[in-house]
Amino acid sequence: KQHGKVVWVMGPAFAFDRDARRAMQAIVENGYVHGLMAGNALATHDLEAGYRSTALGQDIYTQISQPGGHYNHIDTINQVRRAGSIEKFVAEQNIQDGIMAACVQCKVPYVLTGSIRDDGPLPEVYADVYEGQNAMRAQVKKSTTVICLATTLHSIATGNMTPSYRVLEDGTVRDRKSGSAGMPRP
């Protein structure tokens, strides 16, 4: 928290449970998140939970599917798109809880990347895979710790683009991929 940058790579499972959302919100609010990387699903389900108290139409506390609740998902996407951004949606709808609201309120940068199967997607989601990879690389390069939870594909992608370093006895940092010695450690 104090001497590094913690980047979280998260899957949508966090948005389906009220307590998981609250826990992650507290982690963001307490300064343990310096960047978030996820797909369209985490952001959409989390915003739906803050907006309608459901994720894919399922109550996030009782886990009971709500009558007509499946429309909440598409309604949330449409409302975010109508607002023009996640930040504007959070403000306009006065969303007070959840992962994305905490990121907006605490000004934590996030990278959302999409896939061919995404509905929507939300306005900030990178639809171009190369642009998304570049944005993810930029986040990862700044990180000192990467925590990957509940997402196989984003975890693999992040692992493949995370640089690896070794501190030598003389204090220099050696990049394991190129094998070249770098600058002395600060």
Side-chain angles (χ1 to χ4, degrees):
K1 175 182 174 180
Q2 295 172 350
H3 302 292
K5 294 198 178 283
V6 183
V7 172
W8 293 72
V9 183
M10 298 177 64
F14 280 85
F16 285 90
D17 181 76
R18 183 183 71 173
D19 295 330
R21 288 178 69 248
R22 284 187 178 167
M24 193 63 208
Q25 176 182 344
I27 291 170
V28 172
E29 292 171 344
N30 283 286
Y32 292 96
V33 179
H34 302 101
L36 171 71
M37 297 192 304
N40 183 65
L42 171 77
T44 300
H45 301 326
D46 181 64
L47 292 169
E48 177 190 339
Y51 182 51
R52 299 281 187 205
S53 297
T54 61
L56 279 179
Q58 177 180 294
D59 185 285
I60 60 169
Y61 183 68
T62 65
Q63 313 320 198
I64 296 171
S65 292
Q66 301 301 298
H70 57 285
Y71 290 109
N72 293 353
H73 178 74
I74 298 301
D75 181 46
T76 301
I77 291 170
N78 287 336
Q79 292 301 324
V80 176
R81 292 179 67 79
R82 187 172 291 118
S85 71
I86 291 170
E87 183 176 359
K88 288 178 183 174
F89 172 77
V90 167
E92 288 175 12
Q93 299 301 327
N94 195 31
I95 306 297
Q96 296 294 313
D97 67 312
I99 301 161
M100 297 310 298
C103 285
V104 166
Q105 291 157 0
C106 295
K107 305 211 180 313
V108 171
Y110 50 85
V111 175
L112 304 173
T113 53
S115 75
I116 197 164
R117 66 188 184 279
D118 283 340
D119 43 13
L122 299 174
E124 287 92 340
V125 173
Y126 286 93
D128 182 303
V129 68
Y130 297 110
E131 289 176 12
Q133 285 177 340
N134 288 337
M136 288 176 71
R137 272 189 201 92
Q139 276 288 345
V140 169
K141 284 181 182 179
K142 298 176 195 174
S143 69
T144 55
T145 302
V146 178
I147 300 172
C148 301
L149 299 167
T151 174
T152 301
L153 298 178
H154 270 78
S155 295
I156 292 168
T158 301
N160 287 339
M161 61 181 70
T162 302
S164 179
Y165 300 93
R166 182 175 63 149
V167 179
L168 302 176
E169 287 184 29
D170 66 359
T172 58
V173 178
R174 185 177 182 110
D175 179 335
R176 290 188 183 173
K177 288 185 179 181
S178 69
S180 63
M183 299 296 293
R185 186 169 64 164

